Amino acid sequence: MVREEVAVSTRTLQWKCVESRADSKRLYYGRFILSPLMKGQADTIGIAMRRALLGEIEGTCITRAKFDKVPHEYSTIVGIEESIHEIFMNLKEIVLRSNLYGTRDASICVRGPRYVTAQDIISPPSVEIVDTTQHIASLTEPIDLYIGLKIERDRGYRLKTPKKYQDGSSPIDAVSMPVRNANHSIHSYGNGNEKQEILFLEIWTNGSLTPKEALHEASRNLIDLFIPFLHAEEQDSYLEDNQNLVTLPPFTLHDGLANTNNIRKNKKEIALKSIFIDQSELPTRTYNCLKRSNINTLLDLLSNSQEDLMKIEHFRIEDVKQILDILQKHFAIHLPKNKF
């Protein structure tokens, strides 16, 4: 039935959503096709898209929680059925939708006896709870329960650290993966040299975005990753015209650069503009903050001081320290605190 709906053309590459449904508030499904493709192209695109869908899309989740007068996460509180660890696991499953960057505060403040659900979370206006019926805890006695929460946007999976933060909050395993699963399959048709392929993509999301939105975002992220290659020809010609200058291979990030002072004085003589910030192992949130401030290359970054970076919206002192560590480790460069 699907094949009859696909208008096969040898001239125009087209995509189409052939199925879309919401199985629940926290489970969306979408099925897409892309055709016509030459032999081998469907597998190339399918593998790349699956990896981008599962690993390159950002999500928002609860990363820390703080209970008053609780020594550790395996403690129990009289009047609450669940242990602190079980409450943490329930908080981990809460699905949030937001475009925020940086850390946001939220809280739960209720009095029992009652069931505590995601609806009881007091969150910033920029954060939306996808399923407000999601269970958190069961209070069996008239006790007060207060939980301080930290909400962050990131990508991938972040394992919690064993130590508490300075504010007394405990980390939670952060699952910032809006796409639960992604599969691709291929249908081939035609004979001989005229053989062509249709790519089928299946996407399941947690409800914080639709499969169509996930497909668009993954595609944009893939394009961003390949942008540096578009500058390869321009970079090669630049280095050929300046053979007496210190040359820098575009992707040797782990080779230390000597003569730091000369690098600062002769930035334009070295191909620092060929090193993009996404090659520097920066966390996703830090990378996005820099991109929004039109800092795209290492040369752009070195044009700023530590003080300049702190003026960037949503930037924290921890972000500046990470940048300083990366610059020192990979490039032997130190960023001044203030502009001279």
Side-chain angles (χ1 to χ4, degrees):
M1 181 180 68
V2 171
R3 275 183 284 173
E4 295 175 354
E5 296 175 358
V6 179
V8 177
S9 169
T10 58
R11 298 180 181 177
T12 306
L13 193 64
Q14 296 179 338
W15 76 277
K16 182 179 181 181
C17 178
V18 293
E19 186 177 356
S20 178
R21 66 174 187 265
D23 294 333
S24 68
K25 290 182 179 180
R26 288 181 281 157
L27 183 59
Y28 285 29
Y29 171 80
R31 191 164 186 248
F32 308 87
I33 58 173
L34 179 67
S35 69
L37 296 165
M38 297 176 62
K39 184 179 179 180
Q41 288 182 336
D43 205 33
T44 300
I45 297 173
I47 293 173
M49 285 302 302
R50 185 177 186 276
R51 293 183 66 88
L53 285 164
L54 294 175
E56 298 295 331
I57 298 180
E58 294 182 344
T60 303
C61 61
I62 298 172
T63 57
R64 285 185 269 164
K66 178 183 179 181
F67 289 80
D68 289 336
K69 300 178 181 179
V70 175
H72 54 78
E73 67 173 284
Y74 296 101
S75 303
T76 58
I77 300 177
V78 177
I80 302 180
E81 285 188 3
E82 295 83 0
S83 67
I84 301 301
H85 176 71
E86 291 172 325
I87 295 176
F88 277 8
M89 295 300 293
N90 292 335
L91 291 171
K92 173 183 172 181
E93 296 297 323
I94 291 176
V95 179
L96 304 174
R97 181 188 293 118
S98 175
N99 290 321
L100 65 85
Y101 285 93
T103 303
R104 295 290 186 275
D105 293 323
S107 63
I108 299 174
C109 187
V110 295
R111 182 171 179 78
R114 59 171 295 177
Y115 289 107
V116 183
T117 66
Q119 186 176 4
D120 297 307
I121 297 177
I122 304 172
S123 60
S126 58
V127 178
E128 178 186 351
I129 301 171
V130 172
D131 184 5
T132 57
T133 64
Q134 199 163 342
H135 179 74
I136 297 177
S138 302
L139 307 186
T140 58
E141 297 183 13
I143 62 171
D144 293 322
L145 175 66
Y146 174 81
I147 308 175
L149 304 173
K150 296 290 185 181
I151 297 174
E152 295 183 58
R153 183 176 176 86
D154 205 342
R155 67 183 179 96
Y157 185 82
R158 186 199 309 172
L159 287 173
K160 64 181 180 182
T161 56
K163 296 182 180 180
K164 286 189 176 183
Y165 289 84
Q166 292 182 351
D167 61 359
S169 61
S170 299
I172 298 176
D173 289 337
V175 184
S176 305
M177 299 171 63
V179 176
R180 289 188 169 186
N181 195 12
N183 289 328
H184 81 278
S185 57
I186 301 168
H187 170 71
S188 301
Y189 61 94
N191 297 311
N193 295 331
E194 297 181 358
K195 197 169 185 178
Q196 294 180 322
E197 297 176 339
I198 299 175
L199 172 65
F200 291 83
L201 274 172
E202 292 183 290
I203 303 172
W204 292 262
T205 68
N206 64 1
S208 62
L209 75 174
T210 66
K212 184 178 179 180
E213 291 170 338
L215 184 62
H216 287 179
E217 186 168 343
S219 300
R220 286 195 298 267
N221 290 340
L222 274 179
I223 292 171
D224 288 342
L225 290 174
F226 284 103
I227 283 179
F229 292 107
L230 299 178
H231 301 277
E233 183 177 349
E234 176 186 347
Q235 174 191 318
D236 291 342
S237 63
Y238 176 84
L239 294 178
E240 288 174 2
D241 294 339
N242 298 272
Q243 295 180 358
N244 295 326
L245 302 180
V246 178
T247 58
L248 180 66
F251 294 102
T252 55
L253 299 181
H254 299 283
D255 296 336
L257 301 182
N259 302 321
T260 304
N261 293 330
N262 291 334
I263 290 175
R264 290 201 191 115
K265 295 178 181 179
N266 303 287
K267 294 174 192 174
K268 294 183 180 180
E269 295 182 1
I270 303 176
L272 294 178
K273 68 177 182 180
S274 68
I275 303 180
F276 289 78
I277 60 172
D278 57 357
Q279 299 169 239
S280 304
E281 301 179 359
L282 289 170
T284 303
R285 197 189 65 79
T286 306
Y287 166 75
N288 288 328
C289 288
L290 293 174
K291 290 284 286 185
R292 287 198 302 271
S293 299
N294 293 321
I295 299 177
N296 301 304
T297 66
L298 185 59
L299 183 60
D300 297 335
L301 183 58
L302 295 180
S303 300
N304 294 269
S305 64
Q306 298 179 35
E307 184 181 27
D308 295 330
L309 295 181
M310 286 301 299
K311 295 177 182 178
I312 297 176
E313 187 177 7
H314 305 312
F315 229 63
R316 306 170 302 182
I317 186 65
E318 292 86 353
D319 303 322
V320 176
K321 290 180 179 178
Q322 287 177 330
I323 290 175
L324 294 177
D325 290 342
I326 289 174
L327 289 177
Q328 182 63 37
K329 177 182 177 182
H330 298 320
F331 306 102
I333 297 174
H334 179 72
L335 208 61
K337 291 186 177 180
N338 303 291
K339 279 191 176 180
F340 296 102

